[in-house]
Amino acid sequence: MNGNIESYIQQATDLVVTYGVKIVMAIVIYIIGKWIAGVVARLLERLMNARSVDPTISSFARNIVYYILLAMVFISALGQLGVQTASFVAIVGAAGLAVGLALQGSLANFAAGVLIILFRPLKIGDFVEAGGAAGVVKEISIFSTILTTGDNKTIIIPNAGITGGNITNYSTQAERRVDFTVGVGYGANLDLVRKELEAIAAEDERIIQDKGITIGLAELADSSVNFAFRVWTKTENYWAVFFETNEKIKKRFDVAGIEIPFPQMDVHVSKD
């Protein structure tokens, strides 16, 4: 009886010595490897930030590098335990394929997020129209892009919805053209209209004179003679110039006696 107990104790001791060391080594490999992965990922992010790389790109690269290194550390720890890592990698690959088929939409959004980060059709702070919505880009993540509208609504758009359609970025160019359609009555003095529009453009310091001012008769409409009035300004001044110039046109035309007509219909009643 005592011999059997001693045999069991010896076997248990051998198991502890054999596998205990492996378990401890696996834990050490995982802890140290995870720490190194974090250090490398943070160092990469600092280097990219020092080179003025877009924060979205540096954050994305840090996460990708960290998880790739962490996966390598995990496989190394399993190898230390005696697990056949080749078989394990094959199982993980098969499981990844199954999950990928089940999450095709998410993978499409992930791929679209990578494309947005790499080719940068939009960036944080840009005012864009994309995915059927318009707003300022607040965040670009791996799976979605967040916009904030002018009335402070938050719109979350899947990245695939952005790359799958047209993207209009109003913030890319430093200058934008502001277009106005100015309607006057058929009895108006066209030379006077042109003179007043030229004065409005000349008096506004935000309007870029070197880009040229366009004033042309665009249409003889049903109720008005329509002028095309086009000026250039810095992108950040676009809406201020648009709103204030419309107000200036109305006020100056009132003073100059230039009629701004509104749609009307003359009804003639005949007596039989």
Side-chain angles (χ1 to χ4, degrees):
M1 184 68 177
N2 290 334
N4 290 335
I5 293 176
E6 290 177 357
S7 176
Y8 290 143
I9 293 175
Q10 184 63 40
Q11 291 178 6
T13 303
D14 293 340
L15 288 174
V16 170
V17 171
T18 302
Y19 291 100
V21 173
K22 289 184 177 181
I23 291 173
V24 171
M25 289 299 298
I27 293 175
V28 171
I29 289 173
Y30 178 77
I31 293 174
I32 295 177
K34 184 178 180 181
W35 176 77
I36 293 175
V39 170
V40 172
R42 288 191 295 271
L43 179 61
L44 175 64
E45 184 179 27
R46 290 195 191 101
L47 289 174
M48 297 181 74
N49 289 337
R51 295 179 177 272
S52 300
V53 177
D54 189 278
T56 304
I57 298 176
S58 60
S59 176
F60 171 75
R62 179 201 63 199
N63 291 332
I64 291 296
V65 169
Y66 175 74
Y67 287 113
I68 290 176
L69 293 177
L70 190 61
M72 295 173 63
V73 169
F74 185 68
I75 293 173
S76 298
L78 290 178
Q80 181 62 37
L81 290 174
V83 178
Q84 295 296 324
T85 55
S87 302
F88 178 76
V89 171
I91 293 172
V92 172
L97 178 61
V99 172
L101 292 175
L103 301 175
Q104 293 184 35
S106 296
L107 291 178
N109 289 326
F110 174 81
V114 173
L115 292 176
I116 291 174
I117 291 171
L118 289 178
F119 295 102
R120 302 181 68 187
L122 49 85
K123 64 182 185 297
I124 295 174
D126 286 353
F127 181 80
V128 301
E129 287 183 8
V136 177
V137 180
K138 289 299 181 182
E139 182 180 346
I140 303 173
S141 64
I142 298 301
F143 296 103
S144 63
T145 296
I146 300 176
L147 305 183
T148 301
T149 63
D151 55 352
N152 209 29
K153 295 177 183 176
T154 298
I155 302 177
I156 302 174
I157 307 173
N159 286 332
I162 292 180
T163 58
N166 295 333
I167 301 174
T168 303
N169 192 329
Y170 294 95
S171 303
T172 303
Q173 303 298 326
E175 300 169 352
R176 284 185 62 188
R177 193 181 72 186
V178 190
D179 294 355
F180 303 92
T181 298
V182 183
V184 299
Y186 270 88
N189 184 327
L190 301 186
D191 292 332
L192 180 59
V193 172
R194 187 183 301 274
K195 179 181 177 182
E196 292 296 327
L197 294 178
E198 289 174 347
I200 291 172
E203 293 172 359
D204 195 333
E205 295 180 354
R206 296 166 300 182
I207 293 176
I208 303 172
Q209 305 295 327
D210 295 342
K211 298 284 288 188
I213 312 298
T214 299
I215 302 174
L217 203 161
E219 182 184 14
L220 300 175
D222 293 337
S223 303
S224 63
V225 177
N226 294 334
F227 278 82
F229 180 36
R230 299 168 183 169
V231 299
W232 287 84
T233 187
K234 296 291 185 182
T235 298
E236 61 268 22
N237 295 330
Y238 178 88
W239 287 112
V241 170
F242 179 81
F243 291 131
E244 293 176 22
T245 301
N246 273 317
E247 183 176 345
K248 291 176 183 178
I249 290 172
K250 176 65 169 64
K251 290 180 177 179
R252 289 190 69 108
F253 279 18
D254 286 346
V255 172
I258 300 173
E259 178 191 5
I260 300 178
F262 51 87
Q264 52 187 310
M265 179 182 297
D266 293 334
V267 178
H268 301 276
V269 179
S270 62
K271 296 179 180 180
D272 295 335

